[in-house]
Amino acid sequence: MEKIRKIWNETWHFYKRTLILVATGSKLYYAWCFSLLAIIIAGFLFYMRQHDVGLIATNMNDQVSWGLYIANFTYLVGAAAAAVLLVVPSYVYHFKPIKEIVVLGELFAASSVMMAVLFVMVDLGRLDRFWHMLPFIGSMNFPESLLAWDVIALNGYLLLNIFIPVYLLVKFYYRKKPNWKFILPFILLSVPWAVGIHTVTAFLYNGLPARPFWNASILAPRFLASAFCSGPSIIILIFQIIRKVSDVKLEDEALFKVAELIAYAMFLNLFLLGSEFFKEYYSHTVHMAPVEYLFQGLHGHNLLVPWIWAAMTMNVIAFIIFLIPQTRKRLTTLNLGCIFIIIGVWIEKGPGFVIPGFVPDPLGEIFEYIPNLLELMVSFGIWALGLLVFTLLMKVAIPIETGEFTHTEFQKELITSRSH
Amino acid sequence: MTALAGLSLPLLSSCAKEETEDFLQKHFREMTSEEKKQMIAKLEQRYLQKYGREFQISTKEAIPDTLWGYGLELSRCIGCRRCVYACVKENNQSRHDPQLQWIRVLRLKRGNLINLENSDHYYNPDTVPEKGFIYLPVQCQQCQNPPCVKVCPVHATWQEPDGIVAVDYNWCIGCRYCIAACPYKGRVFNWSEPNIPKEEVNPSVHYLGNRPRMKCAVEKCTFCIQRVRDGRYPACVEACPTGTRKFGNLLDPNSEIRYIIDRKRVFRLKEDLNTESKFYYFFEA
Amino acid sequence: MKKKIKAIALGIFLMGFCFTSSANGAAEEFPVAPPPMTEGMFPCSSCHASMETNRKKRELKEEHTQIKLHHAETMRWCLDCHDIKNRDKLRLYNGELIKFTESYKLCGECHGPQYGDWRAGIHGKRTGYFMGSGKRTYFLCAHCHDPHEPKFKPIKPEPPPFPPTDRKHGN
C-alpha cells in the first residue's frame, strides 16, 4: 500500500515537473507551439462539422470512397515503420550515434502511429461505433479482415513505442541503469513489428481483386522501400533541429550514414516503380487504366499528372544527391534531398497511390477527386497535433537524456556542479 | 484515448439522442428473440415519429433450402431505368444528398461487353433503346464468395443461408473497406443522413433490407429480402416493362432461374475474380 | 320412374363430361391478367352477331380503322386469327376456338420457342408470388406485344443518376 502511494506521489511529482518543463521555453518554442495549437483547433472545428453532417462534407463519394485521410494514413504508417527500423539496428550494432537515438526515434514512431490512427478515426463514418472493432467486446473480423490485423498491429506498435521510451526515460530520470536483459527483447521485437505494420497496411490494399492497380504482388516491397526513404529523411531533419535547440550530441557522420541508406532504399523504390511501369505498359491490358490516369491522364482527366511527375523528379534528384558523396556530405544539399524525398514520397504513396485505385471505378466510371477545404483543414490539424505531441515529448525526453532533467535528489547535485 | 474520443463525440453532435440510444446495441446475429422484439418496437416508434407511418418491420429468417439466383436477359433490356426507380421506392433509398441507387444501368456500344470502361452511365436520350447500343444493369451480385464480407473489420456484413449478403446497418462503422473491395460497385454509402420524402416511404420493411437507414452506414441490393422471403418477386423484376429480369431458387430444379441456366447461354460478370456471383446474364440476340 | 332415373343418370353423366373437358382446360389455364382490350369492345358479338360476314381480304374503312396490321400482313389478315362466326373467340390453325384469355396458344403456333419459354416463366412478365400460395399474375403475350403491331415502341427513359461532380445534389 505504502509502495503504491509512493509511486503515485512520485508520478504526480514528475508530471508536475514535466508540465513546468513544457511550459517554459524560448520565444520560438512558444510561437511554434501556439501556431500548431491554432491549426489543431481549426482542424477540430472543421471535423465537428464533418461529424455533424456526415462524410458528405468531404469530396469523397461512391466512386472514390477513400481520399486524403487514408492517403495520409498510408504515408504515416510508413514513416513510423522506418523510424524504428533505422534507429534500432544502429543501436544494436553499436553504430555511432549512441542510445539517444533509440528513444527519440521510437517517440517519433509513436507520434507517427498516433497520427495514422487519428487519420483512420476521422475517416470512419461512425466513430461512435468504433467499439465494434474491439476483440471480444465487439466483433473483430480476425483473421479474415486485413483492417482487423492493422488495428492490432498499429496499436501493438504504439504500445511498444510508448513502453520502451518510457521505461528507458524513467531509468535515466532516476540515474539508474536500464536492465538491458529486460528491455532489449522489446527493442528487438519492434523491428519485425515495424516491418509487420507496413506489410499489413500494404496487404490491406493488396488483397482486393476488384482494384487491379493495387492487386499487385509488388505492393508490399514497394511500400517498405518508399517507407525506408521517407521515415529516415524526416529523422535527419528532426535530428538537426534537435541538435540545434538542445545539448544532444549528434555527429554529422551519423546523418551521412543514414543518407547513404536512404540512397539504397530509393534505388530499390525506383527499381520497383520501373518494374511496375514495364508490366503495365508492355502488357498493355485494360488494367493499366489507373497507371495511365496517374502518369498521362485518362480521357482528358489528368489532375494527378503534374503531381506525380513532380514527385518522380524530386525522387530522382534526391536519389542522385544521396548517391554522390559530395552532395550527401554537405548539409545544404542533404537537407534539400530530404525535403524532396519527404514531399515526393508523400505524393507517390499518398494521393498518388490511393486515388488511382479508384479511377476508373469497377464499372468504368472516372471521377476526379480533389480534397476540399474541410479535408485539408482536418488533415493539417492532425499533422499539427502529431508535431505538437512530438515537440512536447522531445521537450521532456531530451533533458532527461542529457541528464539535465532528473529526479530532485540528483537535481541539487546538478545545480551545485554547475555553480562550480 | 480512442475510447474517450469515440464516447465524447456523440454527445457533442446533433443526432445525439438516437446515437446514444443505439450505442450499446448488440450485433443483430447475437440478439436473442426477446432483444430483437424490443429493438423492433423501438424502431417502429422511431419511424412513426419520423415519417408519420406505421411500419411493419420483419426479421424473417431465410426459408430453408433456398438459394436465390437472378437472371437478366440482355437482349431485352432497353435501358429504361424503371427498375432503378422501382428499387429506390421499394427500398427507401435516399433521393438526394446523397442520391443512392442500388441498380446502375450501363450503356455499351455494340461490340463491347467485358471492358466496362467503355460504358456510359449517364445516357439520357429521348427514347430508348438506341440503335447500336446494348444496356447492362448491374447491382449487388450476392456473391457466394463475397469479397466484401471478407474485408469487413467488424462482421457488419455477412452472407445469410439463402445467399443474400446482408448488412446490419446499426453495426457498420462506415470504414468503406467493403466498397473498395466490391468488383461490381454493388455497395453504396449514406454519406449523410438520408433524405426520403415522407409520402414516398415504404413501410413494409425487413430489418436487414429496406428499413430506413441512418447516416454513414453502407447499403446495397438485398434481392428485396422483405419480398423474397415471403415468396414474392423483387421490385425490379416486377417493374421491368420488357420482362428482362427473372428470379428464382437455384436449389429448386423447377424454378425459372434453373430453366434459364439449363437452356440458355448464361455468364456472370468478372467471373475470373472467382466471386461466384448469383447474377446470371444471358441473351438471345 | 325408370325413365326418370335414366334421364337423371344421363344428365349427371353429361355434366361430368362437361366438367372433365373444362377440367382439362382448367389444368392448362395460367393465372393471367385480363386481356388488354379497348374499353367497351368486348363482347365483340354485341355488334358482330348481327352483321354479315365478308371473307375478302381488305383494308377496313368503316370500323377498327385505328388498327394498322403490321404482323405478317402479307400472309395473314384479321380473319386468320379472329373466328369469322364467333368474334368473341380466336381461331387456331386447326380451326379450334380459344378464349381471349388463352391467346398465348395462338401466338405459340408460330412463335414456338417463345411460347415454351413463356410457359416456363422466362419469357414475358410475371408479378406477385412465385412461391407458396400467394396471388400471382402472368401477363399475356398481348399485354406487352400488341398483336396487330407487336414491335416494341421506344419509350422515354427515366432520368440518369446525378453525376458525381454535381455537388449540389450530392453523390
Side-chain angles (χ1 to χ4, degrees):
Chain A
M1 196 64 216
E2 188 58 41
K3 205 171 182 193
I4 297 174
R5 219 157 63 89
K6 188 162 177 277
I7 294 176
W8 172 253
N9 280 339
E10 289 283 330
T11 319
W12 180 239
H13 188 62
F14 173 77
Y15 184 58
K16 273 194 290 185
R17 293 185 71 206
T18 56
L19 278 180
I20 300 170
L21 202 62
V22 300
T24 39
S26 65
K27 279 218 172 74
L28 186 63
Y29 172 73
Y30 285 134
W32 173 247
C33 287
F34 279 116
S35 46
L36 285 179
L37 208 57
I39 300 175
I40 292 169
I41 292 173
F44 182 70
L45 289 173
F46 274 92
Y47 176 69
M48 285 319 294
R49 171 167 163 77
Q50 180 192 293
H51 184 82
D52 218 21
V53 167
L55 284 163
I56 203 172
T58 67
N59 256 355
M60 294 186 276
N61 59 14
D62 287 330
Q63 283 79 358
V64 180
S65 50
W66 279 343
L68 189 64
Y69 298 149
I70 300 291
N72 276 310
F73 159 75
T74 317
Y75 181 72
L76 285 165
V77 173
V84 166
L85 270 171
L86 174 72
V87 155
V88 174
S90 319
Y91 175 80
V92 169
Y93 293 114
H94 297 291
F95 174 74
K96 294 168 105 185
I98 338 116
K99 47 184 183 275
E100 274 108 37
I101 298 192
V102 176
V103 172
L104 302 179
E106 298 224 335
L107 287 174
F108 170 73
S111 321
S112 211
V113 171
M114 183 206 76
M115 279 197 269
V117 169
L118 278 174
F119 269 114
V120 172
M121 277 169 57
V122 301
D123 184 65
L124 281 185
R126 298 299 303 233
L127 187 55
D128 53 320
R129 293 179 188 171
F130 85 95
W131 66 271
H132 296 178
M133 264 228 263
L134 301 173
F136 307 113
I137 309 172
S139 62
M140 178 184 257
N141 186 4
F142 187 86
E144 279 208 319
S145 169
L146 264 303
L147 259 184
W149 280 82
D150 217 2
V151 166
I152 294 175
L154 283 176
N155 282 302
Y157 191 68
L158 187 61
L159 280 172
L160 260 181
N161 280 304
I162 292 177
F163 172 66
I164 297 171
V166 165
Y167 175 84
L168 289 175
L169 287 173
V170 167
K171 286 290 180 189
F172 293 154
Y173 181 72
Y174 282 104
R175 294 275 179 96
K176 287 205 192 124
K177 238 181 176 299
N179 181 0
W180 291 113
K181 275 220 182 91
F182 169 67
I183 198 67
L184 197 61
F186 287 103
I187 296 179
L188 290 176
L189 179 63
S190 58
V191 177
W193 202 293
V195 175
I197 61 165
H198 213 28
T199 310
V200 166
T201 308
F203 279 178
L204 84 83
Y205 292 106
N206 208 352
L208 302 180
R211 310 278 170 184
F213 182 62
W214 294 336
N215 194 218
S217 328
I218 214 176
L219 216 67
R222 258 196 91 189
F223 262 38
L224 284 169
S226 53
F228 264 131
C229 300
S230 57
S233 301
I234 303 179
I235 285 190
I236 289 180
L237 293 179
I238 287 179
F239 281 177
Q240 287 179 67
I241 297 174
I242 289 176
R243 202 163 60 168
K244 219 178 192 141
V245 301
S246 76
D247 288 335
V248 172
K249 307 263 178 302
L250 281 168
E251 293 166 25
D252 278 352
E253 290 305 317
L255 302 177
F256 299 152
K257 193 70 182 173
V258 171
E260 199 185 317
L261 293 175
I262 296 179
Y264 302 146
M266 181 48 86
F267 169 72
L268 195 60
N269 191 24
L270 290 172
F271 178 73
L272 291 173
L273 174 71
S275 312
E276 287 232 277
F277 257 7
F278 172 76
K279 176 235 176 192
E280 298 289 3
Y281 278 95
Y282 189 81
S283 323
H284 213 91
T285 68
V286 161
H287 293 311
M288 71 173 276
V291 173
E292 211 183 311
Y293 169 68
L294 185 58
F295 285 96
Q296 290 171 254
L298 198 61
H299 301 310
H301 299 272
N302 54 7
L303 217 56
L304 281 177
V305 175
W307 287 85
I308 195 66
W309 282 110
M312 292 293 115
T313 318
M314 285 194 258
N315 281 346
V316 169
I317 294 178
F319 171 60
I320 296 172
I321 290 179
F322 286 157
L323 196 62
I324 305 174
Q326 288 88 341
T327 42
R328 183 171 75 234
K329 294 193 176 160
R330 188 185 301 159
L331 281 178
T332 38
T333 41
L334 177 69
N335 289 335
L336 183 69
C338 286
I339 292 175
F340 272 175
I341 286 202
I342 293 172
I343 300 176
V345 173
W346 184 86
I347 295 174
E348 189 195 327
K349 207 160 167 187
F353 172 73
V354 171
I355 298 171
F358 292 101
V359 177
D361 83 344
L363 296 183
E365 208 181 328
I366 298 175
F367 171 68
E368 293 229 79
Y369 162 84
I370 327 167
N372 64 0
L373 181 67
L374 184 139
E375 289 175 88
L376 284 169
M377 286 312 298
V378 174
S379 304
F380 283 138
I382 295 178
W383 273 96
L385 183 60
L387 285 171
L388 185 64
V389 165
F390 183 65
T391 310
L392 297 179
L393 285 172
M394 289 295 101
K395 199 75 169 54
V396 175
I398 291 172
I400 296 182
E401 289 256 319
T402 53
E404 255 182 67
F405 182 61
T406 178
H407 196 262
T408 29
E409 14 181 304
F410 305 113
Q411 202 76 21
K412 297 178 199 141
E413 235 181 77
L414 209 64
I415 297 170
T416 45
S417 74
R418 274 218 200 105
S419 61
H420 283 147
Chain B
M1 194 185 79
T2 328
L4 287 171
L7 278 169
S8 61
L9 284 166
L11 301 170
L12 292 166
S13 69
S14 56
C15 303
K17 187 166 175 292
E18 275 180 26
E19 287 171 15
T20 36
E21 268 175 24
D22 295 341
F23 182 64
L24 290 172
Q25 186 174 310
K26 273 198 208 162
H27 193 292
F28 181 72
R29 286 199 289 181
E30 289 176 15
M31 287 186 190
T32 61
S33 48
E34 188 54 49
E35 284 170 328
K36 281 185 191 171
K37 279 207 191 85
Q38 283 177 353
M39 180 211 29
I40 298 287
K42 174 181 75 170
L43 277 177
E44 281 176 352
Q45 218 197 16
R46 201 182 277 171
Y47 292 149
L48 178 62
Q49 254 188 331
K50 191 164 183 187
Y51 299 106
R53 304 275 290 274
E54 294 259 347
F55 272 69
Q56 295 94 37
I57 307 182
S58 150
T59 50
K60 191 158 186 202
E61 283 175 4
I63 305 173
D65 292 319
T66 54
L67 188 67
W68 302 119
Y70 209 106
L72 197 137
E73 190 167 356
L74 279 181
S75 32
R76 295 195 194 285
C77 179
I78 56 171
C80 66
R81 295 200 185 101
R82 297 211 182 351
C83 50
V84 176
Y85 291 91
C87 171
V88 166
K89 271 226 178 76
E90 168 75 21
N91 291 298
N92 291 323
Q93 289 161 39
S94 176
R95 307 295 200 265
H96 65 92
D97 292 296
Q99 184 200 47
L100 296 177
Q101 293 176 345
W102 291 354
I103 303 175
R104 189 153 268 232
V105 184
L106 275 55
R107 185 185 74 171
L108 294 158
K109 243 193 175 136
R110 277 195 186 265
N112 280 310
L113 199 58
I114 300 298
N115 182 9
L116 298 180
E117 213 192 306
N118 298 322
S119 67
D120 185 2
H121 302 208
Y122 303 98
Y123 62 92
N124 195 11
D126 289 324
T127 55
V128 283
E130 305 157 277
K131 205 169 149 73
F133 291 101
I134 60 172
Y135 301 90
L136 181 78
V138 182
Q139 62 211 65
C140 170
Q141 316 261 297
Q142 318 289 352
C143 308
Q144 198 58 19
N145 199 9
C148 55
V149 168
K150 203 166 31 167
V151 298
C152 175
V154 294
H155 282 302
T157 185
W158 67 93
Q159 184 150 49
E160 287 270 301
D162 56 356
I164 298 179
V165 176
V167 181
D168 182 356
Y169 306 115
N170 280 76
W171 198 254
C172 173
I173 60 171
C175 71
R176 309 185 300 292
Y177 198 10
C178 57
I179 297 183
C182 176
Y184 306 103
K185 202 181 163 289
R187 301 174 77 102
V188 291
F189 191 65
N190 282 287
W191 296 92
S192 74
E193 199 67 37
N195 295 298
I196 314 173
K198 283 198 192 146
E199 62 274 8
E200 292 183 27
V201 143
N202 173 13
S204 44
V205 300
H206 190 287
Y207 181 78
L208 295 173
N210 60 338
R211 67 174 170 113
R213 275 76 65 190
M214 69 293 293
K215 81 171 173 203
C216 296
V218 158
E219 56 178 55
K220 62 183 203 54
C221 165
T222 56
F223 276 179
C224 277
I225 195 172
Q226 69 278 5
R227 286 175 165 236
V228 304
R229 286 190 176 172
D230 270 339
R232 284 171 69 198
Y233 286 112
C236 47
V237 173
E238 293 200 347
C240 178
T242 55
T244 299
R245 292 167 167 270
K246 300 290 158 213
F247 189 81
N249 178 8
L250 289 166
L251 299 179
D252 172 12
N254 299 320
S255 64
E256 292 157 25
I257 185 67
R258 283 285 289 269
Y259 189 96
I260 291 171
I261 296 173
D262 288 338
R263 285 170 187 69
K264 307 290 175 186
R265 284 165 213 277
V266 299
F267 72 94
R268 291 168 292 177
L269 284 180
K270 307 202 190 191
E271 216 173 319
D272 53 319
L273 297 183
N274 204 21
T275 50
E276 297 287 326
S277 143
K278 307 259 207 20
F279 210 94
Y280 294 88
Y281 293 89
F282 62 105
F283 45 92
E284 311 233 47
Chain C
M1 188 58 198
K2 249 195 183 165
K3 252 194 176 169
K4 248 197 191 164
I5 297 169
K6 263 200 189 155
I8 293 169
L10 186 64
I12 294 169
F13 177 74
L14 283 171
M15 271 172 65
F17 197 80
C18 292
F19 274 132
T20 46
S21 62
S22 66
N24 273 332
E28 267 280 74
E29 211 85 76
F30 296 100
V32 294
M37 302 237 207
T38 322
E39 190 83 24
M41 273 294 172
F42 196 81
C44 313
S45 51
S46 52
C47 290
H48 285 276
S50 55
M51 276 166 76
E52 273 180 23
T53 56
N54 180 355
R55 278 193 185 278
K56 187 165 188 273
K57 183 173 177 182
R58 64 196 183 277
E59 198 183 310
L60 299 175
K61 290 278 175 24
E62 287 161 46
E63 276 299 331
H64 301 306
T65 47
Q66 73 281 11
I67 298 179
K68 298 273 174 283
L69 188 58
H70 268 145
H71 190 186
E73 64 270 20
T74 50
M75 295 183 282
R76 316 192 82 187
W77 84 300
C78 320
L79 295 178
D80 288 312
C81 292
H82 294 272
D83 184 59
I84 191 165
K85 291 204 200 77
N86 181 356
R87 294 302 164 85
D88 292 337
K89 290 272 167 84
L90 295 166
R91 149 176 207 286
L92 296 180
Y93 194 67
N94 61 0
E96 188 184 320
L97 298 184
I98 56 166
K99 299 197 280 268
F100 274 101
T101 48
E102 294 173 314
S103 52
Y104 46 84
K105 289 185 186 165
L106 175 55
C107 310
E109 286 194 312
C110 290
H111 302 283
Q114 288 83 339
Y115 179 47
D117 284 350
W118 181 88
R119 287 161 63 101
I122 69 162
H123 183 113
K125 190 163 157 162
R126 292 184 177 186
T127 57
Y129 287 77
F130 61 90
M131 258 170 87
S133 55
K135 179 173 189 298
R136 60 203 60 199
T137 309
Y138 297 7
F139 283 60
L140 290 167
C141 319
H143 280 111
C144 295
H145 308 277
D146 179 347
H148 308 123
E149 204 173 5
K151 189 166 169 154
F152 269 179
K153 296 198 187 18
I155 54 176
K156 185 165 164 49
E158 299 272 352
F162 300 137
T165 42
D166 184 349
R167 296 305 299 176
K168 202 159 73 111
H169 290 107
N171 210 13

Coordinates of all heavy atoms in Angstrom, one line a residue, chain A residues 291-319:
Chain A
V291 N -2.8 3.4 -64.0 CA -1.5 3.9 -64.2 C -1.5 5.0 -65.3 O -0.8 6.0 -65.2 CB -0.5 2.7 -64.6 CG1 0.8 3.3 -65.0 CG2 -0.4 1.8 -63.5
E292 N -2.3 4.7 -66.3 CA -2.4 5.7 -67.4 C -3.0 7.0 -66.8 O -2.5 8.1 -67.2 CB -3.3 5.1 -68.5 CG -3.0 5.6 -69.9 CD -3.9 5.1 -70.9 OE1 -4.2 3.9 -70.9 OE2 -4.4 5.9 -71.7
Y293 N -4.0 6.8 -66.0 CA -4.6 8.0 -65.4 C -3.6 8.8 -64.6 O -3.6 10.0 -64.6 CB -5.8 7.6 -64.5 CG -6.3 8.7 -63.6 CD1 -7.0 9.8 -64.2 CD2 -6.1 8.7 -62.3 CE1 -7.5 10.8 -63.4 CE2 -6.6 9.7 -61.5 CZ -7.3 10.8 -62.1 OH -7.7 11.8 -61.3
L294 N -2.8 8.1 -63.9 CA -1.8 8.7 -63.0 C -0.7 9.5 -63.7 O -0.4 10.6 -63.4 CB -1.2 7.7 -62.0 CG -0.3 8.2 -60.9 CD1 -1.0 9.2 -60.1 CD2 0.2 7.0 -60.1
F295 N -0.2 8.8 -64.7 CA 1.0 9.3 -65.4 C 0.7 10.1 -66.7 O 1.6 10.9 -67.1 CB 2.0 8.2 -65.7 CG 2.8 7.8 -64.5 CD1 2.3 6.7 -63.8 CD2 3.9 8.4 -64.0 CE1 3.0 6.2 -62.6 CE2 4.5 8.0 -62.9 CZ 4.1 6.9 -62.2
Q296 N -0.4 9.8 -67.3 CA -0.7 10.5 -68.6 C -2.0 11.2 -68.6 O -2.2 12.2 -69.3 CB -0.8 9.5 -69.7 CG 0.6 8.9 -70.1 CD 0.3 7.7 -71.0 OE1 0.4 6.6 -70.7 NE2 0.0 8.1 -72.3
G297 N -2.9 10.8 -67.8 CA -4.3 11.3 -67.9 C -5.1 10.3 -68.7 O -4.6 9.6 -69.6
L298 N -6.4 10.2 -68.3 CA -7.3 9.3 -69.0 C -8.5 10.0 -69.5 O -9.3 10.6 -68.7 CB -7.7 8.2 -67.9 CG -8.3 6.9 -68.4 CD1 -7.3 6.1 -69.2 CD2 -8.6 6.1 -67.1
H299 N -8.7 9.9 -70.8 CA -9.9 10.6 -71.4 C -10.0 12.0 -71.0 O -11.1 12.5 -70.6 CB -11.2 9.8 -71.0 CG -11.2 8.4 -71.5 ND1 -10.9 8.0 -72.7 CD2 -11.4 7.3 -70.8 CE1 -10.9 6.7 -72.8 NE2 -11.3 6.2 -71.7
G300 N -8.9 12.7 -71.0 CA -9.0 14.1 -70.6 C -8.9 14.4 -69.2 O -8.8 15.6 -68.8
H301 N -8.9 13.4 -68.3 CA -8.8 13.6 -66.9 C -7.4 13.5 -66.5 O -6.8 12.4 -66.5 CB -9.7 12.6 -66.1 CG -11.1 12.7 -66.5 ND1 -12.0 13.5 -65.8 CD2 -11.8 12.0 -67.4 CE1 -13.2 13.4 -66.4 NE2 -13.1 12.4 -67.3
N302 N -6.8 14.6 -66.0 CA -5.3 14.5 -65.8 C -4.9 15.3 -64.6 O -3.9 15.9 -64.5 CB -4.5 14.9 -67.0 CG -5.0 16.3 -67.5 OD1 -5.8 17.0 -66.8 ND2 -4.5 16.7 -68.6
L303 N -5.7 15.3 -63.5 CA -5.5 16.2 -62.4 C -4.2 15.8 -61.7 O -3.5 16.6 -61.2 CB -6.7 16.0 -61.4 CG -7.1 17.3 -60.7 CD1 -7.4 18.4 -61.7 CD2 -8.3 17.0 -59.9
L304 N -3.9 14.5 -61.6 CA -2.8 14.0 -60.8 C -1.5 14.0 -61.6 O -0.4 13.8 -61.0 CB -3.1 12.6 -60.3 CG -4.0 12.5 -59.1 CD1 -4.2 11.0 -58.7 CD2 -3.4 13.2 -57.9
V305 N -1.6 14.2 -62.9 CA -0.4 14.0 -63.7 C 0.8 15.0 -63.3 O 1.9 14.5 -63.1 CB -0.7 14.2 -65.2 CG1 0.5 14.1 -66.0 CG2 -1.7 13.1 -65.6
P306 N 0.5 16.3 -63.1 CA 1.7 17.1 -62.7 C 2.2 16.8 -61.4 O 3.4 16.9 -61.2 CB 1.1 18.5 -62.8 CG -0.4 18.4 -62.8 CD -0.7 17.1 -63.4
W307 N 1.3 16.3 -60.5 CA 1.8 16.0 -59.2 C 2.7 14.8 -59.2 O 3.8 14.8 -58.6 CB 0.6 15.6 -58.3 CG -0.2 16.8 -57.9 CD1 -1.2 17.4 -58.6 CD2 -0.1 17.6 -56.7 NE1 -1.7 18.5 -57.9 CE2 -1.0 18.6 -56.7 CE3 0.8 17.5 -55.6 CZ2 -1.2 19.5 -55.7 CZ3 0.6 18.4 -54.5 CH2 -0.4 19.4 -54.6
I308 N 2.4 13.8 -59.9 CA 3.2 12.5 -59.9 C 4.5 12.8 -60.6 O 5.5 12.2 -60.1 CB 2.4 11.3 -60.4 CG1 3.1 10.0 -60.1 CG2 2.3 11.4 -61.9 CD1 3.1 9.7 -58.6
W309 N 4.5 13.6 -61.6 CA 5.7 13.8 -62.3 C 6.7 14.7 -61.5 O 7.9 14.5 -61.5 CB 5.5 14.5 -63.7 CG 5.1 13.4 -64.7 CD1 3.9 13.3 -65.3 CD2 5.9 12.3 -65.2 NE1 3.8 12.2 -66.1 CE2 5.1 11.6 -66.1 CE3 7.2 11.9 -65.0 CZ2 5.5 10.5 -66.7 CZ3 7.7 10.8 -65.7 CH2 6.8 10.1 -66.5
A310 N 6.1 15.6 -60.7 CA 6.9 16.4 -59.8 C 7.5 15.5 -58.7 O 8.7 15.6 -58.4 CB 6.0 17.4 -59.1
A311 N 6.7 14.5 -58.3 CA 7.2 13.6 -57.3 C 8.3 12.7 -57.8 O 9.3 12.5 -57.2 CB 6.0 12.7 -56.8
M312 N 8.1 12.2 -59.1 CA 9.2 11.4 -59.7 C 10.5 12.2 -59.8 O 11.6 11.7 -59.5 CB 8.7 10.9 -61.0 CG 7.5 10.0 -61.0 SD 8.0 8.4 -60.3 CE 7.0 8.4 -58.9
T313 N 10.3 13.5 -60.3 CA 11.5 14.3 -60.4 C 12.2 14.5 -59.1 O 13.5 14.3 -59.0 CB 11.1 15.7 -61.0 OG1 10.1 15.5 -62.0 CG2 12.3 16.4 -61.5
M314 N 11.4 14.8 -58.1 CA 12.0 15.0 -56.8 C 12.7 13.7 -56.3 O 13.8 13.8 -55.7 CB 10.9 15.4 -55.8 CG 10.5 16.8 -56.0 SD 9.5 17.4 -54.5 CE 7.9 17.3 -55.2
N315 N 12.1 12.6 -56.5 CA 12.7 11.4 -56.0 C 14.0 11.1 -56.7 O 15.0 10.7 -56.1 CB 11.8 10.2 -56.3 CG 10.7 10.1 -55.2 OD1 10.8 10.7 -54.2 ND2 9.6 9.3 -55.5
V316 N 14.0 11.3 -58.0 CA 15.3 11.0 -58.8 C 16.4 12.0 -58.4 O 17.5 11.6 -58.2 CB 15.0 11.1 -60.3 CG1 16.3 11.0 -61.1 CG2 14.1 9.9 -60.7
I317 N 16.0 13.3 -58.3 CA 17.1 14.2 -57.8 C 17.6 13.9 -56.5 O 18.8 13.9 -56.2 CB 16.5 15.7 -57.8 CG1 16.1 16.1 -59.3 CG2 17.5 16.6 -57.2 CD1 15.5 17.5 -59.3
A318 N 16.7 13.5 -55.6 CA 17.1 13.2 -54.2 C 18.0 11.9 -54.2 O 19.1 11.9 -53.5 CB 15.9 12.9 -53.3
F319 N 17.7 11.0 -55.1 CA 18.5 9.8 -55.2 C 19.9 10.1 -55.6 O 20.9 9.7 -55.0 CB 17.8 8.8 -56.2 CG 18.7 7.6 -56.6 CD1 19.1 6.7 -55.6 CD2 19.1 7.4 -57.9 CE1 19.9 5.7 -55.9 CE2 19.9 6.3 -58.2 CZ 20.3 5.4 -57.2

